[in-house]
Every structure is written in structure tokens, then in C-alpha cells.
Amino acid sequence: MMNTMMNQDELFKNLISHSKEYGFIFPSSEIYDGLAAVYDYGQLGALLKNNIREYWWRSMVQLHDNIVGIDAAIFMHPTVWKASGHVDAFNDPLIDNKDSKKRYRADQLIEEHLQKISDKIEKEIEKAQKRFGESFNRQLFVETNPRVLEYKQKLETLTTRYNRALNNNDLVDLKNIIDEEKIVCPISGTCNWTEVRQFNLMFSTQIGSVSAEADKIYLRPETAQGIFVNFLNVYKTGRMKIPFGIAQTGKAFRNEIVARQFIFRMREFEQMEMQFFVKPGEELQWFEYWKQTRLAWHKALGIDDEYYRYHDHEKLAHYANAATDIEFRFPFGFKELEGIHSRTDFDLSAHQQYSGKKLQYFDADTNESYVPYVIETSIGLDRMFLAILSYAYTEEKLEDGTQRVVLRIPYVLAPIKVAVLPLVKRDGMPEKAREILHMLQPYYFCQYDEKDTIGRRYRRQDAIGTPLCVTIDQNTLENNIVTVRHRDTMKQDNVHINELKNYIYEYIAIEPLLQKLHQHARVLA
Ligand code: ATP
């Protein structure tokens, strides 16, 4: 496999052009030169996205008899965002470089700088390890080497100061850190910075035909609030008993200051969120449950363990009493893919206060009413899409010296499941192939292709991640036997057409995967 030999930047660039070339992702309004950080999903991208959403939805809503799904509106009463804290605090600190005219998030500039210091420590360790070989004692080295100690000291002091400035909203000190550390703009290379300012990430618009401040509403920056404001509706009409969850997928909008890295950070994106309501005091136990359950969901797709890690938050939001991220190894490093947060009763209590409605659960066993605590699982659908695609994209050298690009998308998520290919475009093979295509179409997304040599058609299917290619040849005409070629191994099987539908099902069905998750959930519960 060539991927490991390729530089990750190059790999990421190839992945972006590949996803455009094959109809997965297009820049939005491309004929007008695009719109920054907004993307459209093409004919294959839309299928892959649907499949990821379905996998999430079914494992949440179908597998759990105490989780239901809703679909709330994007527009919400403006007071929702007052209560949730978004109007006052959904801000990022921004800073401009006067020479390059580029805008940055001050927090990200400082965090990258901290990372660089931390990388320097690692480099020193690596160097020493090479020098000392077998006899190297890492711990002793880290505790005694003057240069490492100096870097560590600096890192600690700076991290503490940075966290304090961030928590206290001290924009002046954020600027001071950037100045004192001589952090430069990566484009202009200068330290010629403006002051740091707060910037609210919510998009606003007007509702109704008259534009007035009173009619100002927001495009939701997260789907979670649509769940909280429907807590009472769902609890009452669904006769729910705690613990129970409400799941939802849908669009969210954030006016991100710096939107880079393709679909990793977008201004319009889709979230898949589930809020799980529990009895106060039991939240940490459920937090642990969801932490494990969500990681199991990712791993069930068959992606190697080393692509995932937890990142437990040390610095918690004021309303949270535990939080962790599931990070994924993207081509640009480990980054947040999903967040799992124990949010206490913050949201429901705030909505109770602002709306004047009682948002409580009545426990018939104890005759008590209380505001439930909440565990939230929140994942970006587009970010999951990028995770899958960057894992899947492989430039591979084959034994015969040729090369192929293959998308190793987990079979259950692949946009097209089966390609139906007549070996040659004559002798009745296309007709027979079409018959088989029509037999399979009600069950699976299929593609029919009769153009070019069979080898080239296999490559085209590899490039879009189709797990199985069904080839119709002389043996099919005579004996109703087709050849099924597997994407990853390129192995071929002979299959009778009467068995074909079930044969395919074995490899690409989502149900066995859900069954595995179901068992896992029952063991944990
Ligand atoms: P970040 O620190 O990356 O800005 P966040 O901590 O603000 O993310 P949350 O508010 O917890 O993110 O959102 C939950 C999930 O939604 C994230 O884990 C991510 O997968 C997704 N997400 C958030 N912002 C974006 C975005 N701008 N584009 C794409 N996905 C996003």
C-alpha cells in the first residue's frame, strides 16, 4: 500500500480532488467560484451521507426501546438562544493580521504555539533515544534534561495563563500572549496584529415581512436545543420513563471565523445528537455507558483501533461535570469527531426559568418531581463523512506493478453496493446483465457499466468504493453462474443467480452490524 509512504498533506489534497472528480463533494455554487466553507454533496456523496445517517439513526432509535427520534425546525423562538447561553457566550476571539489581511482565531493561534513547544519536547526525546539506543531511560531523561525541563516549565506556565485568559474572557491577555510569544501569521510571517475581539458565531435573519430588531431570529447553531424545548412534549406523549433519550439529526449553522480543512469545519453542517435524560446522581454512570457505547459504534465499522482515542476534558464548561471527545486520526492529525458531555440540569433548568414552564419529570416510584440530568452525544455527520473517506482513500500498488486508487469504505456504508458488468458488449451479455440488474435494484443500489475493458471498469468501481462487482460472461449465459469480485481482496467467487441476492446480503447488510451493537449495549446496561 502506498499511503504510508505519501506525505499526509499530499494525501489530503488527493482525497479532496478525488471526492470532487467522482461526485462525492463539490464546492457550493462552484460556477460562481464557490462559497467559503460551504459544500454540496454530489450523486455518490449524498448516498454515503444517507448511509452514515441511517447507521446512526437505527443504532440509536431502533436498537433502544427508550430512545425516540424527532425532527425539530431550524428556526426557533429567539429566547431559546438567550436561555441556552448562545446569545451571550457563543463567541470566538478573533484577530486579524494587518499585512496578510487574514483572520484567525486567537485561541487557535495560541494552541498551535503550545503544540509546537510540546513537539519540541518530543523531538528532544527522540534525538536522545537515537543517541542512547537500548540503554535509554525515558523517564529519567524527561526529569533531568535541562532543555526538556525548560520547555516543560514554559509550556506549563503558558498553558495556565492561556486557560485563565480564556475562562475570564480576558482578550487583552490573549493579545499579550500572542505579542510576547512572537506568534506570527503563517501567511505574512509578521507579528503585525490587530486587537483581539469577540465574535458571535450565530447567523441571524428576520422572520416575517417587516424587518425590525424584535423579529430577529437565528439559524440554530446546534440541534440540541430543539430536543430540550420538546422534552415535555415527548415525555408526555411518548409515555417515556427515565432514563430515556431523544435523538435528532439535522442542519446547524455557525459563522466559523476560520474555516479550513475541507468539510472538517463548515459554516453549514449536519449534526446527529442524542440527549439522554437521567436521574440526578446517576449521570456519571450513564456518561461512562455512552462513552463506551459510542466508541463501540465507531469501531463496529471495522476501522482499526489506532484511528480512535478519547480526549477527556480537563477544562469543563461551567455547566458540565464530565466531558470527553472521541478523536479520529484525520490526515492532519487527531481531531474531535464526536463529543460526549454530562450537561447536568443546565439546559432544562434554564428553559424552565426563561419560559416559566415546569420542565420536570415525575417519578411515580418515589412520588418526587425533578429536573432530569442530561448526557449528550453529539457528532458531526460531515465530519464523520470525512473520517470515513480519509480512512478509505488508498493509493495501492498491485502485485503486477500497476496502481489503483481504492476507497475502502466499510461495506455497509458504501454508496453503490453492486456493479453489474457484462464481460463484453455482445453475445447477449448486456441483455442478461440488465435482467440481473433489474432483479437486484429493488434491494441494493447498483450501477450498470458496459463501457471499456473489464479491468478498467473494476478500477472505476474501486475508485468509488463499490464492494462487489458482478460479471456476466459465457458461463452466465449457459449456466446462470456469475462471477462476484470483491473490492478489497480482488478475489472472485462463482455464484448462481438464484443465490446472488442472499450472497450479496451477507457482505453488505447493516442488520448484522446492528445485532452486534445490540449485544454490546445489553452487556453494558
Ligand atoms: P470545535 O471545537 O471543533 O469547534 P465544538 O466543540 O464546538 O467543535 P460541538 O459544539 O461539541 O463542537 O459540536 C459537536 C460536533 O459537531 C463536533 O464534534 C463536530 O463533529 C461537529 N461540528 C461542530 N462544528 C462543526 C463545523 N463547523 N463543521 C462541521 N462539523 C462541526
Side-chain angles (χ1 to χ4, degrees), residues 90 105 222 254 256 263-271 273 325 336-339 341 376 378-384:
F90 196 51
R105 267 172 62 180
E222 61 175 34
R254 297 181 187 181
E256 299 279 0
I263 57 168
F264 181 81
R265 194 175 297 285
M266 304 156 91
R267 297 208 164 99
E268 172 178 342
F269 58 101
E270 194 164 335
Q271 287 186 315
E273 296 196 300
D325 295 336
E336 171 178 344
L337 171 59
E338 167 157 10
H341 311 121
E376 160 182 271
S378 173
I379 174 168
L381 175 49
D382 314 84
R383 218 173 259 190
M384 179 69 186

PDB file of all heavy atoms in Angstrom, residues 90 105 222 254 256 263-271 273 325 336-339 341 376 378-384, ligand 1:
ATOM      1  N   PHE A  90     -21.689  32.449  22.887  1.00  0.00           N
ATOM      2  CA  PHE A  90     -21.229  31.587  21.789  1.00  0.00           C
ATOM      3  C   PHE A  90     -20.277  32.387  20.891  1.00  0.00           C
ATOM      4  O   PHE A  90     -20.564  32.711  19.748  1.00  0.00           O
ATOM      5  CB  PHE A  90     -22.418  31.056  21.007  1.00  0.00           C
ATOM      6  CG  PHE A  90     -22.076  29.893  20.119  1.00  0.00           C
ATOM      7  CD1 PHE A  90     -21.403  28.786  20.609  1.00  0.00           C
ATOM      8  CD2 PHE A  90     -22.436  29.894  18.784  1.00  0.00           C
ATOM      9  CE1 PHE A  90     -21.082  27.717  19.793  1.00  0.00           C
ATOM     10  CE2 PHE A  90     -22.128  28.823  17.950  1.00  0.00           C
ATOM     11  CZ  PHE A  90     -21.449  27.739  18.466  1.00  0.00           C
ATOM     12  N   ARG A 105      -8.484  32.710  14.614  1.00  0.00           N
ATOM     13  CA  ARG A 105      -8.989  32.603  15.986  1.00  0.00           C
ATOM     14  C   ARG A 105      -7.791  32.699  16.911  1.00  0.00           C
ATOM     15  O   ARG A 105      -6.855  31.916  16.801  1.00  0.00           O
ATOM     16  CB  ARG A 105      -9.708  31.268  16.174  1.00  0.00           C
ATOM     17  CG  ARG A 105     -11.201  31.384  15.908  1.00  0.00           C
ATOM     18  CD  ARG A 105     -11.860  30.064  15.900  1.00  0.00           C
ATOM     19  NE  ARG A 105     -11.753  29.363  17.179  1.00  0.00           N
ATOM     20  CZ  ARG A 105     -12.282  28.165  17.394  1.00  0.00           C
ATOM     21  NH1 ARG A 105     -12.949  27.557  16.439  1.00  0.00           N
ATOM     22  NH2 ARG A 105     -12.169  27.579  18.571  1.00  0.00           N
ATOM     23  N   GLU A 222     -26.829  24.567  16.855  1.00  0.00           N
ATOM     24  CA  GLU A 222     -26.760  23.159  17.262  1.00  0.00           C
ATOM     25  C   GLU A 222     -28.180  22.613  17.259  1.00  0.00           C
ATOM     26  O   GLU A 222     -29.139  23.377  17.372  1.00  0.00           O
ATOM     27  CB  GLU A 222     -26.136  23.022  18.660  1.00  0.00           C
ATOM     28  CG  GLU A 222     -26.927  23.738  19.757  1.00  0.00           C
ATOM     29  CD  GLU A 222     -26.381  23.492  21.161  1.00  0.00           C
ATOM     30  OE1 GLU A 222     -25.165  23.355  21.312  1.00  0.00           O
ATOM     31  OE2 GLU A 222     -27.197  23.438  22.107  1.00  0.00           O
ATOM     32  N   ARG A 254     -22.944  27.716  11.754  1.00  0.00           N
ATOM     33  CA  ARG A 254     -22.034  28.521  12.572  1.00  0.00           C
ATOM     34  C   ARG A 254     -21.166  29.367  11.657  1.00  0.00           C
ATOM     35  O   ARG A 254     -20.571  28.837  10.713  1.00  0.00           O
ATOM     36  CB  ARG A 254     -21.111  27.625  13.425  1.00  0.00           C
ATOM     37  CG  ARG A 254     -21.870  26.799  14.415  1.00  0.00           C
ATOM     38  CD  ARG A 254     -20.946  25.940  15.253  1.00  0.00           C
ATOM     39  NE  ARG A 254     -21.752  25.037  16.071  1.00  0.00           N
ATOM     40  CZ  ARG A 254     -21.261  24.171  16.938  1.00  0.00           C
ATOM     41  NH1 ARG A 254     -19.957  24.088  17.117  1.00  0.00           N
ATOM     42  NH2 ARG A 254     -22.059  23.392  17.642  1.00  0.00           N
ATOM     43  N   GLU A 256     -18.237  30.267  11.324  1.00  0.00           N
ATOM     44  CA  GLU A 256     -16.878  29.978  11.777  1.00  0.00           C
ATOM     45  C   GLU A 256     -15.910  31.036  11.240  1.00  0.00           C
ATOM     46  O   GLU A 256     -15.988  31.425  10.075  1.00  0.00           O
ATOM     47  CB  GLU A 256     -16.438  28.590  11.275  1.00  0.00           C
ATOM     48  CG  GLU A 256     -17.291  27.434  11.762  1.00  0.00           C
ATOM     49  CD  GLU A 256     -16.936  26.992  13.176  1.00  0.00           C
ATOM     50  OE1 GLU A 256     -16.032  27.574  13.788  1.00  0.00           O
ATOM     51  OE2 GLU A 256     -17.604  26.038  13.660  1.00  0.00           O
ATOM     52  N   ILE A 263     -14.292  19.645   4.589  1.00  0.00           N
ATOM     53  CA  ILE A 263     -15.566  19.575   5.306  1.00  0.00           C
ATOM     54  C   ILE A 263     -15.379  19.342   6.802  1.00  0.00           C
ATOM     55  O   ILE A 263     -16.324  19.001   7.503  1.00  0.00           O
ATOM     56  CB  ILE A 263     -16.493  18.496   4.709  1.00  0.00           C
ATOM     57  CG1 ILE A 263     -15.801  17.132   4.712  1.00  0.00           C
ATOM     58  CG2 ILE A 263     -16.913  18.882   3.299  1.00  0.00           C
ATOM     59  CD1 ILE A 263     -16.739  15.972   4.404  1.00  0.00           C
ATOM     60  N   PHE A 264     -14.157  19.524   7.324  1.00  0.00           N
ATOM     61  CA  PHE A 264     -13.958  19.359   8.762  1.00  0.00           C
ATOM     62  C   PHE A 264     -14.660  20.489   9.520  1.00  0.00           C
ATOM     63  O   PHE A 264     -15.303  20.254  10.538  1.00  0.00           O
ATOM     64  CB  PHE A 264     -12.461  19.348   9.108  1.00  0.00           C
ATOM     65  CG  PHE A 264     -12.207  19.147  10.573  1.00  0.00           C
ATOM     66  CD1 PHE A 264     -12.253  17.877  11.122  1.00  0.00           C
ATOM     67  CD2 PHE A 264     -11.951  20.233  11.410  1.00  0.00           C
ATOM     68  CE1 PHE A 264     -12.046  17.683  12.482  1.00  0.00           C
ATOM     69  CE2 PHE A 264     -11.735  20.043  12.774  1.00  0.00           C
ATOM     70  CZ  PHE A 264     -11.785  18.765  13.304  1.00  0.00           C
ATOM     71  N   ARG A 265     -14.520  21.696   9.042  1.00  0.00           N
ATOM     72  CA  ARG A 265     -15.161  22.836   9.698  1.00  0.00           C
ATOM     73  C   ARG A 265     -15.927  23.642   8.659  1.00  0.00           C
ATOM     74  O   ARG A 265     -15.350  24.312   7.824  1.00  0.00           O
ATOM     75  CB  ARG A 265     -14.107  23.710  10.379  1.00  0.00           C
ATOM     76  CG  ARG A 265     -14.695  24.709  11.351  1.00  0.00           C
ATOM     77  CD  ARG A 265     -13.629  25.467  12.082  1.00  0.00           C
ATOM     78  NE  ARG A 265     -12.805  24.603  12.908  1.00  0.00           N
ATOM     79  CZ  ARG A 265     -13.209  24.074  14.067  1.00  0.00           C
ATOM     80  NH1 ARG A 265     -14.407  24.352  14.539  1.00  0.00           N
ATOM     81  NH2 ARG A 265     -12.401  23.301  14.760  1.00  0.00           N
ATOM     82  N   MET A 266     -17.241  23.537   8.713  1.00  0.00           N
ATOM     83  CA  MET A 266     -18.072  24.175   7.705  1.00  0.00           C
ATOM     84  C   MET A 266     -18.968  25.231   8.351  1.00  0.00           C
ATOM     85  O   MET A 266     -19.134  25.248   9.567  1.00  0.00           O
ATOM     86  CB  MET A 266     -18.977  23.128   7.040  1.00  0.00           C
ATOM     87  CG  MET A 266     -18.230  21.968   6.439  1.00  0.00           C
ATOM     88  SD  MET A 266     -19.285  20.526   6.325  1.00  0.00           S
ATOM     89  CE  MET A 266     -19.976  20.742   4.702  1.00  0.00           C
ATOM     90  N   ARG A 267     -19.560  26.073   7.519  1.00  0.00           N
ATOM     91  CA  ARG A 267     -20.483  27.070   8.070  1.00  0.00           C
ATOM     92  C   ARG A 267     -21.910  26.521   8.100  1.00  0.00           C
ATOM     93  O   ARG A 267     -22.729  26.950   8.889  1.00  0.00           O
ATOM     94  CB  ARG A 267     -20.386  28.375   7.272  1.00  0.00           C
ATOM     95  CG  ARG A 267     -18.990  28.990   7.386  1.00  0.00           C
ATOM     96  CD  ARG A 267     -18.972  30.495   7.237  1.00  0.00           C
ATOM     97  NE  ARG A 267     -17.708  31.025   7.713  1.00  0.00           N
ATOM     98  CZ  ARG A 267     -16.662  31.362   6.932  1.00  0.00           C
ATOM     99  NH1 ARG A 267     -16.749  31.247   5.628  1.00  0.00           N
ATOM    100  NH2 ARG A 267     -15.551  31.821   7.460  1.00  0.00           N
ATOM    101  N   GLU A 268     -22.201  25.600   7.230  1.00  0.00           N
ATOM    102  CA  GLU A 268     -23.480  24.893   7.273  1.00  0.00           C
ATOM    103  C   GLU A 268     -23.135  23.417   7.348  1.00  0.00           C
ATOM    104  O   GLU A 268     -22.412  22.911   6.491  1.00  0.00           O
ATOM    105  CB  GLU A 268     -24.293  25.187   6.007  1.00  0.00           C
ATOM    106  CG  GLU A 268     -25.538  24.328   5.912  1.00  0.00           C
ATOM    107  CD  GLU A 268     -26.393  24.626   4.682  1.00  0.00           C
ATOM    108  OE1 GLU A 268     -26.237  25.692   4.065  1.00  0.00           O
ATOM    109  OE2 GLU A 268     -27.221  23.763   4.346  1.00  0.00           O
ATOM    110  N   PHE A 269     -23.609  22.731   8.369  1.00  0.00           N
ATOM    111  CA  PHE A 269     -23.256  21.318   8.510  1.00  0.00           C
ATOM    112  C   PHE A 269     -24.412  20.563   9.157  1.00  0.00           C
ATOM    113  O   PHE A 269     -25.447  21.143   9.462  1.00  0.00           O
ATOM    114  CB  PHE A 269     -21.954  21.165   9.303  1.00  0.00           C
ATOM    115  CG  PHE A 269     -21.972  21.763  10.688  1.00  0.00           C
ATOM    116  CD1 PHE A 269     -22.156  20.961  11.806  1.00  0.00           C
ATOM    117  CD2 PHE A 269     -21.815  23.122  10.871  1.00  0.00           C
ATOM    118  CE1 PHE A 269     -22.166  21.510  13.086  1.00  0.00           C
ATOM    119  CE2 PHE A 269     -21.836  23.693  12.151  1.00  0.00           C
ATOM    120  CZ  PHE A 269     -22.009  22.880  13.258  1.00  0.00           C
ATOM    121  N   GLU A 270     -24.221  19.280   9.310  1.00  0.00           N
ATOM    122  CA  GLU A 270     -25.304  18.487   9.874  1.00  0.00           C
ATOM    123  C   GLU A 270     -24.819  17.786  11.139  1.00  0.00           C
ATOM    124  O   GLU A 270     -23.703  17.266  11.175  1.00  0.00           O
ATOM    125  CB  GLU A 270     -25.782  17.467   8.830  1.00  0.00           C
ATOM    126  CG  GLU A 270     -27.104  16.841   9.199  1.00  0.00           C
ATOM    127  CD  GLU A 270     -27.778  16.132   8.024  1.00  0.00           C
ATOM    128  OE1 GLU A 270     -27.521  16.484   6.862  1.00  0.00           O
ATOM    129  OE2 GLU A 270     -28.562  15.216   8.300  1.00  0.00           O
ATOM    130  N   GLN A 271     -25.667  17.793  12.148  1.00  0.00           N
ATOM    131  CA  GLN A 271     -25.309  17.122  13.399  1.00  0.00           C
ATOM    132  C   GLN A 271     -26.220  15.930  13.643  1.00  0.00           C
ATOM    133  O   GLN A 271     -27.350  15.888  13.163  1.00  0.00           O
ATOM    134  CB  GLN A 271     -25.460  18.093  14.575  1.00  0.00           C
ATOM    135  CG  GLN A 271     -24.380  19.156  14.630  1.00  0.00           C
ATOM    136  CD  GLN A 271     -24.482  19.998  15.890  1.00  0.00           C
ATOM    137  OE1 GLN A 271     -25.578  20.426  16.260  1.00  0.00           O
ATOM    138  NE2 GLN A 271     -23.367  20.244  16.554  1.00  0.00           N
ATOM    139  N   GLU A 273     -27.421  14.243  17.079  1.00  0.00           N
ATOM    140  CA  GLU A 273     -27.292  14.420  18.526  1.00  0.00           C
ATOM    141  C   GLU A 273     -28.347  13.608  19.266  1.00  0.00           C
ATOM    142  O   GLU A 273     -29.457  13.410  18.787  1.00  0.00           O
ATOM    143  CB  GLU A 273     -27.451  15.896  18.903  1.00  0.00           C
ATOM    144  CG  GLU A 273     -26.348  16.771  18.320  1.00  0.00           C
ATOM    145  CD  GLU A 273     -26.263  18.145  18.975  1.00  0.00           C
ATOM    146  OE1 GLU A 273     -27.255  18.898  18.912  1.00  0.00           O
ATOM    147  OE2 GLU A 273     -25.222  18.459  19.558  1.00  0.00           O
ATOM    148  N   ASP A 325     -14.043  13.789  24.278  1.00  0.00           N
ATOM    149  CA  ASP A 325     -14.199  13.751  22.823  1.00  0.00           C
ATOM    150  C   ASP A 325     -13.731  12.391  22.344  1.00  0.00           C
ATOM    151  O   ASP A 325     -12.782  11.837  22.900  1.00  0.00           O
ATOM    152  CB  ASP A 325     -13.292  14.780  22.131  1.00  0.00           C
ATOM    153  CG  ASP A 325     -13.663  16.212  22.477  1.00  0.00           C
ATOM    154  OD1 ASP A 325     -14.822  16.448  22.852  1.00  0.00           O
ATOM    155  OD2 ASP A 325     -12.774  17.076  22.382  1.00  0.00           O
ATOM    156  N   GLU A 336     -11.194  16.223  17.084  1.00  0.00           N
ATOM    157  CA  GLU A 336     -12.517  15.829  17.583  1.00  0.00           C
ATOM    158  C   GLU A 336     -13.440  15.377  16.460  1.00  0.00           C
ATOM    159  O   GLU A 336     -13.605  16.054  15.460  1.00  0.00           O
ATOM    160  CB  GLU A 336     -13.156  17.025  18.307  1.00  0.00           C
ATOM    161  CG  GLU A 336     -14.607  16.779  18.663  1.00  0.00           C
ATOM    162  CD  GLU A 336     -15.262  17.926  19.430  1.00  0.00           C
ATOM    163  OE1 GLU A 336     -14.538  18.799  19.954  1.00  0.00           O
ATOM    164  OE2 GLU A 336     -16.501  17.932  19.495  1.00  0.00           O
ATOM    165  N   LEU A 337     -14.051  14.203  16.701  1.00  0.00           N
ATOM    166  CA  LEU A 337     -15.058  13.697  15.771  1.00  0.00           C
ATOM    167  C   LEU A 337     -16.423  13.770  16.453  1.00  0.00           C
ATOM    168  O   LEU A 337     -17.432  14.095  15.829  1.00  0.00           O
ATOM    169  CB  LEU A 337     -14.706  12.246  15.406  1.00  0.00           C
ATOM    170  CG  LEU A 337     -15.708  11.433  14.622  1.00  0.00           C
ATOM    171  CD1 LEU A 337     -16.034  12.097  13.288  1.00  0.00           C
ATOM    172  CD2 LEU A 337     -15.159  10.037  14.359  1.00  0.00           C
ATOM    173  N   GLU A 338     -16.441  13.453  17.734  1.00  0.00           N
ATOM    174  CA  GLU A 338     -17.703  13.399  18.469  1.00  0.00           C
ATOM    175  C   GLU A 338     -17.474  13.858  19.904  1.00  0.00           C
ATOM    176  O   GLU A 338     -16.414  13.618  20.471  1.00  0.00           O
ATOM    177  CB  GLU A 338     -18.197  11.941  18.454  1.00  0.00           C
ATOM    178  CG  GLU A 338     -19.334  11.667  19.425  1.00  0.00           C
ATOM    179  CD  GLU A 338     -20.164  10.448  19.045  1.00  0.00           C
ATOM    180  OE1 GLU A 338     -19.768   9.696  18.136  1.00  0.00           O
ATOM    181  OE2 GLU A 338     -21.213  10.266  19.674  1.00  0.00           O
ATOM    182  N   GLY A 339     -18.479  14.516  20.478  1.00  0.00           N
ATOM    183  CA  GLY A 339     -18.375  14.943  21.872  1.00  0.00           C
ATOM    184  C   GLY A 339     -19.402  14.212  22.726  1.00  0.00           C
ATOM    185  O   GLY A 339     -20.539  13.989  22.288  1.00  0.00           O
ATOM    186  N   HIS A 341     -20.986  14.616  26.530  1.00  0.00           N
ATOM    187  CA  HIS A 341     -20.961  15.600  27.615  1.00  0.00           C
ATOM    188  C   HIS A 341     -22.006  15.285  28.668  1.00  0.00           C
ATOM    189  O   HIS A 341     -23.135  14.939  28.331  1.00  0.00           O
ATOM    190  CB  HIS A 341     -21.257  17.005  27.060  1.00  0.00           C
ATOM    191  CG  HIS A 341     -20.443  17.365  25.858  1.00  0.00           C
ATOM    192  ND1 HIS A 341     -21.003  17.691  24.643  1.00  0.00           N
ATOM    193  CD2 HIS A 341     -19.108  17.417  25.686  1.00  0.00           C
ATOM    194  CE1 HIS A 341     -20.046  17.940  23.768  1.00  0.00           C
ATOM    195  NE2 HIS A 341     -18.887  17.778  24.371  1.00  0.00           N
ATOM    196  N   GLU A 376     -25.205  14.035  26.787  1.00  0.00           N
ATOM    197  CA  GLU A 376     -25.367  14.338  25.371  1.00  0.00           C
ATOM    198  C   GLU A 376     -24.303  13.617  24.551  1.00  0.00           C
ATOM    199  O   GLU A 376     -23.139  13.589  24.944  1.00  0.00           O
ATOM    200  CB  GLU A 376     -25.206  15.850  25.174  1.00  0.00           C
ATOM    201  CG  GLU A 376     -24.865  16.267  23.754  1.00  0.00           C
ATOM    202  CD  GLU A 376     -24.661  17.771  23.615  1.00  0.00           C
ATOM    203  OE1 GLU A 376     -25.661  18.453  23.360  1.00  0.00           O
ATOM    204  OE2 GLU A 376     -23.530  18.255  23.779  1.00  0.00           O
ATOM    205  N   SER A 378     -22.876  13.955  20.668  1.00  0.00           N
ATOM    206  CA  SER A 378     -23.025  14.884  19.552  1.00  0.00           C
ATOM    207  C   SER A 378     -21.933  14.659  18.520  1.00  0.00           C
ATOM    208  O   SER A 378     -20.748  14.785  18.808  1.00  0.00           O
ATOM    209  CB  SER A 378     -22.940  16.309  20.096  1.00  0.00           C
ATOM    210  OG  SER A 378     -22.915  17.219  19.026  1.00  0.00           O
ATOM    211  N   ILE A 379     -22.355  14.313  17.312  1.00  0.00           N
ATOM    212  CA  ILE A 379     -21.370  14.037  16.258  1.00  0.00           C
ATOM    213  C   ILE A 379     -21.750  14.774  14.983  1.00  0.00           C
ATOM    214  O   ILE A 379     -22.929  14.909  14.670  1.00  0.00           O
ATOM    215  CB  ILE A 379     -21.221  12.509  16.008  1.00  0.00           C
ATOM    216  CG1 ILE A 379     -20.312  12.224  14.814  1.00  0.00           C
ATOM    217  CG2 ILE A 379     -22.558  11.830  15.803  1.00  0.00           C
ATOM    218  CD1 ILE A 379     -19.907  10.782  14.687  1.00  0.00           C
ATOM    219  N   GLY A 380     -20.751  15.294  14.292  1.00  0.00           N
ATOM    220  CA  GLY A 380     -20.998  15.962  13.016  1.00  0.00           C
ATOM    221  C   GLY A 380     -21.058  14.929  11.911  1.00  0.00           C
ATOM    222  O   GLY A 380     -20.123  14.138  11.747  1.00  0.00           O
ATOM    223  N   LEU A 381     -22.143  14.940  11.157  1.00  0.00           N
ATOM    224  CA  LEU A 381     -22.296  13.968  10.065  1.00  0.00           C
ATOM    225  C   LEU A 381     -21.228  14.191   8.993  1.00  0.00           C
ATOM    226  O   LEU A 381     -20.636  13.248   8.476  1.00  0.00           O
ATOM    227  CB  LEU A 381     -23.716  14.078   9.485  1.00  0.00           C
ATOM    228  CG  LEU A 381     -24.077  13.259   8.259  1.00  0.00           C
ATOM    229  CD1 LEU A 381     -23.692  11.804   8.388  1.00  0.00           C
ATOM    230  CD2 LEU A 381     -25.572  13.363   7.976  1.00  0.00           C
ATOM    231  N   ASP A 382     -20.961  15.460   8.682  1.00  0.00           N
ATOM    232  CA  ASP A 382     -19.968  15.755   7.649  1.00  0.00           C
ATOM    233  C   ASP A 382     -18.571  15.354   8.118  1.00  0.00           C
ATOM    234  O   ASP A 382     -17.738  14.894   7.342  1.00  0.00           O
ATOM    235  CB  ASP A 382     -19.978  17.245   7.324  1.00  0.00           C
ATOM    236  CG  ASP A 382     -21.384  17.759   7.145  1.00  0.00           C
ATOM    237  OD1 ASP A 382     -22.030  18.085   8.173  1.00  0.00           O
ATOM    238  OD2 ASP A 382     -21.861  17.794   6.018  1.00  0.00           O
ATOM    239  N   ARG A 383     -18.328  15.542   9.414  1.00  0.00           N
ATOM    240  CA  ARG A 383     -17.016  15.188   9.958  1.00  0.00           C
ATOM    241  C   ARG A 383     -16.828  13.667   9.949  1.00  0.00           C
ATOM    242  O   ARG A 383     -15.742  13.158   9.694  1.00  0.00           O
ATOM    243  CB  ARG A 383     -16.886  15.747  11.369  1.00  0.00           C
ATOM    244  CG  ARG A 383     -15.518  16.254  11.620  1.00  0.00           C
ATOM    245  CD  ARG A 383     -15.420  16.953  12.933  1.00  0.00           C
ATOM    246  NE  ARG A 383     -15.459  18.392  12.794  1.00  0.00           N
ATOM    247  CZ  ARG A 383     -15.190  19.229  13.798  1.00  0.00           C
ATOM    248  NH1 ARG A 383     -14.872  18.744  14.991  1.00  0.00           N
ATOM    249  NH2 ARG A 383     -15.241  20.523  13.620  1.00  0.00           N
ATOM    250  N   MET A 384     -17.926  12.966  10.201  1.00  0.00           N
ATOM    251  CA  MET A 384     -17.889  11.500  10.141  1.00  0.00           C
ATOM    252  C   MET A 384     -17.630  11.067   8.689  1.00  0.00           C
ATOM    253  O   MET A 384     -16.892  10.123   8.427  1.00  0.00           O
ATOM    254  CB  MET A 384     -19.236  10.970  10.638  1.00  0.00           C
ATOM    255  CG  MET A 384     -19.369   9.470  10.608  1.00  0.00           C
ATOM    256  SD  MET A 384     -18.298   8.666  11.817  1.00  0.00           S
ATOM    257  CE  MET A 384     -18.595   6.946  11.370  1.00  0.00           C
TER     258      MET A 384
HETATM  259  P1  ATP B   1     -14.832  22.518  17.598  1.00  0.00           P
HETATM  260  O1  ATP B   1     -14.090  22.584  18.897  1.00  0.00           O
HETATM  261  O2  ATP B   1     -14.198  21.616  16.567  1.00  0.00           O
HETATM  262  O3  ATP B   1     -15.284  23.835  17.059  1.00  0.00           O
HETATM  263  P2  ATP B   1     -17.136  22.080  19.146  1.00  0.00           P
HETATM  264  O4  ATP B   1     -16.524  21.522  20.380  1.00  0.00           O
HETATM  265  O5  ATP B   1     -17.614  23.464  19.080  1.00  0.00           O
HETATM  266  O6  ATP B   1     -16.187  21.765  17.910  1.00  0.00           O
HETATM  267  P3  ATP B   1     -19.651  20.859  19.430  1.00  0.00           P
HETATM  268  O7  ATP B   1     -20.350  22.135  19.644  1.00  0.00           O
HETATM  269  O8  ATP B   1     -19.437  19.946  20.584  1.00  0.00           O
HETATM  270  O9  ATP B   1     -18.275  21.118  18.690  1.00  0.00           O
HETATM  271  O10 ATP B   1     -20.350  20.090  18.231  1.00  0.00           O
HETATM  272  C1  ATP B   1     -20.496  18.697  18.206  1.00  0.00           C
HETATM  273  C2  ATP B   1     -19.970  18.084  16.928  1.00  0.00           C
HETATM  274  O11 ATP B   1     -20.450  18.792  15.792  1.00  0.00           O
HETATM  275  C3  ATP B   1     -18.455  18.134  16.809  1.00  0.00           C
HETATM  276  O12 ATP B   1     -17.874  17.039  17.461  1.00  0.00           O
HETATM  277  C4  ATP B   1     -18.254  18.077  15.319  1.00  0.00           C
HETATM  278  O13 ATP B   1     -18.273  16.736  14.861  1.00  0.00           O
HETATM  279  C5  ATP B   1     -19.463  18.786  14.765  1.00  0.00           C
HETATM  280  N1  ATP B   1     -19.136  20.164  14.360  1.00  0.00           N
HETATM  281  C6  ATP B   1     -19.059  21.255  15.145  1.00  0.00           C
HETATM  282  N2  ATP B   1     -18.760  22.344  14.440  1.00  0.00           N
HETATM  283  C7  ATP B   1     -18.652  21.944  13.149  1.00  0.00           C
HETATM  284  C8  ATP B   1     -18.373  22.611  11.916  1.00  0.00           C
HETATM  285  N3  ATP B   1     -18.163  23.919  11.872  1.00  0.00           N
HETATM  286  N4  ATP B   1     -18.336  21.872  10.785  1.00  0.00           N
HETATM  287  C9  ATP B   1     -18.558  20.545  10.808  1.00  0.00           C
HETATM  288  N5  ATP B   1     -18.840  19.872  11.929  1.00  0.00           N
HETATM  289  C10 ATP B   1     -18.886  20.544  13.090  1.00  0.00           C
END
